[in-house]
Amino acid sequence: AIIMADGRKYDTFDGPDVEAARQQQTLSASMLVRTRTQTMLLSLLCLVQFVTSLVWLADGATESLYEERVYGIGAALLLLLSSILGFFGGFFRSRSALIMFFINQLWGLALITTRLYNELRDARQESDYCANVPDGLPADALELECASINGKIGRRMTGAIFGACALWAGAFIAHRLSESLQDRSVSSEDARLVELILRAKSELQQQSTEFEEFVCKRLDDVEEQLAARARE
């Protein structure tokens, strides 16, 4: 006998179909554990990305240049929306939301890479500026300005590198989770097919048993009738 995942029990002969059903049950349990683990990791990364997006949003709103302010706020809002999509896709097991999250993560990686390049370029320009003291600028003022610039550039570069790693990890896990959900869907269809085969075989076996009992009963009746006629 074999017990399916929904609790149904089928009495049948041992054979390849029974072994396939047992393997299907083991595979389904393994997929369930893997899906839950990937969902937890994705939720954690989305939480980190959500908090980081709020920090970048506040930082972008303080930019003095209009272009930099628009770029910073737009990138932060995109990453904020992406983190919400990741939460939704992981919690509701939605492949559509996970695919949108994956696309937004790639877009966010492009924005983060562009920002990192700009920060490196600005860091080089500011370093050259601080290395050559402009005429008429007091040394004290220059020291304070350079210290502020270096701290700001370093903080943004660190945040950009950390954000790029988080975006890459989130995109990878979302892609794997989407594949796991697809495999699980296919596995469920295979499990239903195996269940139909086992059900048909169980019914056929039951019918064969009933037919065998009917034939045996009829043979016993015939033997009794023959014995009665012989005594007469």
Side-chain angles (χ1 to χ4, degrees):
I2 184 170
I3 302 176
M4 301 302 295
D6 57 359
R8 299 178 182 178
K9 182 178 179 181
Y10 296 103
D11 295 324
T12 182
F13 299 105
D14 291 334
D17 52 354
V18 179
E19 183 64 26
R22 294 194 180 100
Q23 293 178 358
Q24 192 67 37
Q25 286 181 324
T26 304
L27 181 61
S28 299
S30 176
M31 285 184 177
L32 181 61
V33 173
R34 184 176 61 184
T35 301
R36 288 178 178 176
T37 303
Q38 291 172 346
T39 302
M40 291 178 58
L41 290 176
L42 181 62
S43 300
L44 179 61
L45 288 173
C46 287
L47 178 60
V48 173
Q49 182 173 325
F50 183 83
V51 176
T52 305
S53 300
L54 293 179
V55 175
W56 286 351
L57 184 62
D59 189 40
T62 59
E63 286 287 349
S64 56
L65 296 178
Y66 176 77
E67 293 79 5
E68 291 291 338
R69 185 163 60 251
V70 171
Y71 178 83
I73 293 176
L77 289 177
L78 174 65
L79 298 180
L80 190 64
L81 175 62
S82 182
S83 63
I84 295 175
L85 283 173
F87 276 122
F88 181 84
F91 184 79
F92 291 100
R93 304 292 197 274
S94 173
R95 293 194 64 226
S96 300
L98 290 174
I99 292 174
M100 287 298 300
F101 172 77
F102 179 77
I103 294 173
N104 285 340
Q105 292 295 96
L106 295 182
W107 192 7
L109 275 174
L111 293 176
I112 291 297
T113 305
T114 303
R115 180 171 183 176
L116 181 59
Y117 171 77
N118 292 334
E119 294 295 342
L120 291 174
R121 183 188 59 188
D122 294 341
R124 181 176 180 181
Q125 292 176 354
E126 298 296 342
S127 178
D128 294 339
Y129 169 79
C130 291
N132 301 288
V133 180
D135 296 335
L137 184 66
D140 295 339
L142 177 64
E143 182 178 356
L144 292 176
E145 184 179 352
C146 288
S148 176
I149 290 174
N150 291 333
K152 184 178 181 180
I153 295 296
R155 184 176 66 253
R156 289 187 177 179
M157 286 178 59
T158 302
I161 294 174
F162 175 77
C165 294
L167 287 172
W168 177 84
F172 175 76
I173 293 178
H175 180 66
R176 294 295 301 165
L177 179 58
S178 178
E179 289 183 343
S180 297
L181 292 177
Q182 184 179 10
D183 294 341
R184 191 176 174 187
S185 177
V186 174
S187 177
S188 299
E189 294 178 359
D190 293 341
R192 285 193 292 269
L193 180 60
V194 172
E195 182 180 353
L196 289 175
I197 294 174
L198 291 175
R199 182 185 303 171
K201 186 173 182 179
S202 179
E203 292 176 355
L204 180 61
Q205 180 183 352
Q206 184 178 359
Q207 292 175 1
S208 299
T209 302
E210 292 176 356
F211 179 74
E212 182 180 354
E213 292 176 353
F214 173 78
V215 171
C216 292
K217 183 177 180 180
R218 294 297 298 173
L219 289 176
D220 292 339
D221 293 341
V222 171
E223 289 179 356
E224 291 178 359
Q225 293 176 2
L226 291 176
R229 291 180 181 179
R231 286 194 298 269
E232 291 176 358

